[in-house]
């Protein structure tokens, strides 16, 4: 996909989220790029909102960060559900089954 010269708002937001998550994990551009099978330059362009990316690229970056692709598109500052998802992401993975059972018992799983 072509590189932009001006970031699009949506791409810039996703790119900033990727950068924040990368820094939170203490990883370099090179480390995430290698783990996600991307070039360092392409990942940098993504973080700056200058590269249009595919779902496959999003998934590769998520793998490089050891996250789910949805974590890259979840903006805790925008929505209560996103804040909750971010808390779950930060919590211990061994607690997830218990949390799921508790939420299901409270009816959160019902439509």
């Amino acid at each position: 996909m072509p590189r932009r010269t001006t970031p699009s708002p949506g791409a810039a937001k996703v790119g900033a989220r990727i950068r924040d998550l990368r820094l939170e994990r203490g990883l370099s551009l090179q480390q995430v790029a290698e783990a996600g099978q991307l070039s360092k330059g392409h990942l940098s362009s993504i973080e700056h909102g200058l590269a249009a990316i595919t779902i496959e690229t999003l998934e590769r970056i998520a793998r490089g960060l050891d996250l789910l692709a949805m974590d890259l598109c979840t903006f805790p500052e925008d929505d209560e559900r996103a804040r909750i998802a971010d808390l779950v992401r930060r919590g211990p993975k061994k607690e997830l089954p218990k949390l799921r059972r508790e939420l299901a018992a409270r009816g959160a799983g019902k439509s």
Side-chain angles (χ1 to χ4, degrees):
M1 299 214 148
R3 181 186 163 120
R4 298 179 177 101
T5 55
T6 305
S8 76
K13 189 171 186 173
V14 171
R17 176 73 172 159
I18 291 168
R19 181 177 188 275
D20 289 346
L21 291 167
R22 177 178 62 76
L23 294 174
E24 174 186 289
R25 294 174 117 51
L27 298 171
S28 69
L29 269 172
Q30 187 67 40
Q31 289 170 308
V32 176
E34 286 177 6
Q37 299 176 329
L38 302 164
S39 75
K40 182 178 166 183
H42 186 51
L43 181 57
S44 177
S45 292
I46 291 168
E47 287 189 359
H48 287 92
L50 298 174
I53 61 174
T54 64
I55 297 297
E56 181 181 339
T57 301
L58 201 63
E59 289 174 341
R60 292 165 104 183
I61 294 168
R63 273 195 309 270
L65 292 167
D66 192 29
L67 295 170
L68 300 173
M70 76 169 204
D71 295 321
L72 308 183
C73 300
T74 301
F75 308 105
E77 66 277 3
D78 290 351
D79 178 76
E80 189 65 28
R81 285 181 292 185
R83 282 189 281 281
I84 293 167
D86 202 51
L87 289 171
V88 170
R89 177 188 63 79
R90 292 172 184 234
K93 289 183 180 183
K94 66 181 182 183
E95 295 291 325
L96 292 178
K98 179 182 174 185
L99 179 60
R100 180 184 40 79
R101 286 191 302 273
E102 288 176 11
L103 290 172
R106 293 181 188 189
K110 295 179 182 177
S111 301

